[in-house]
Amino acid sequence: MRKSILSVVMFCAFAAFASADEVITKQPDGTYVVNTTTLCDVKGYKSPTPVEVYIKGGKVLKVEALPNKETKSYFAKIVNGLLPKYVSLKVSKAKRQAKVQTVDVCTGATFSCKAVQQNIMAALDYYEKNK
């Protein structure tokens, strides 16, 4: 009986640890990758808009949009216009930029643009707390 309870406790501890690994991983070259799929449940116009944020040496290397159900033509504006604006920014500056709700590069995709910015902010916050 004790063995089965201990097994359950160990499994739960492992599951909690494993789920944290799904959010942030460290690559062999020191790059952290933060995936917001389970971290942030903010929806754009139609669906959640998760991203992966790549960070190395305290700077954002890139932001990649993950699969979503947003309208492809509008979401392409975000991928091409907004996400590149984070490349090479220090995490602190990227956080300030994510807080600013400018959507000038995302005309017609305002909800999705704001959701992506919130996902980026969640990723950066998570990185700072868990690196």
Side-chain angles (χ1 to χ4, degrees):
M1 180 73 158
R2 285 185 185 168
K3 234 179 185 180
S4 63
I5 292 173
L6 182 59
S7 296
V8 170
V9 170
M10 288 178 63
F11 176 78
C12 290
F14 176 75
F17 179 75
S19 64
D21 280 353
E22 291 174 10
V23 174
I24 190 169
T25 57
K26 186 175 181 183
Q27 297 178 339
D29 70 350
T31 300
Y32 287 90
V33 181
V34 184
N35 181 318
T36 65
T37 301
T38 59
L39 179 64
C40 190
D41 191 30
V42 178
K43 291 186 179 179
Y45 184 70
K46 294 182 180 180
S47 70
T49 56
V51 296
E52 280 187 335
V53 179
Y54 293 73
I55 304 164
K56 183 175 182 181
K59 287 188 172 184
V60 176
L61 297 179
K62 66 180 173 177
V63 180
E64 288 185 350
L66 296 175
N68 60 65
K69 295 178 181 166
E70 299 300 284
T71 305
K72 291 184 190 303
S73 60
Y74 288 112
F75 203 75
K77 293 178 182 183
I78 295 167
V79 170
N80 298 323
L82 178 68
L83 300 187
K85 291 184 179 245
Y86 288 92
V87 175
S88 299
L89 294 182
K90 289 185 177 182
V91 170
S92 58
K93 188 167 184 172
K95 285 179 69 172
R96 284 193 301 274
Q97 183 167 308
K99 284 182 185 176
V100 177
Q101 295 293 321
T102 58
V103 292
D104 55 335
V105 298
C106 306
T107 302
T110 304
F111 293 116
S112 301
C113 190
K114 288 180 179 182
V116 167
Q117 286 179 295
Q118 290 176 356
N119 271 274
I120 292 170
M121 177 61 93
L124 297 171
D125 283 341
Y126 194 88
Y127 164 78
E128 287 188 323
K129 293 175 185 169
N130 297 283
K131 62 182 174 184

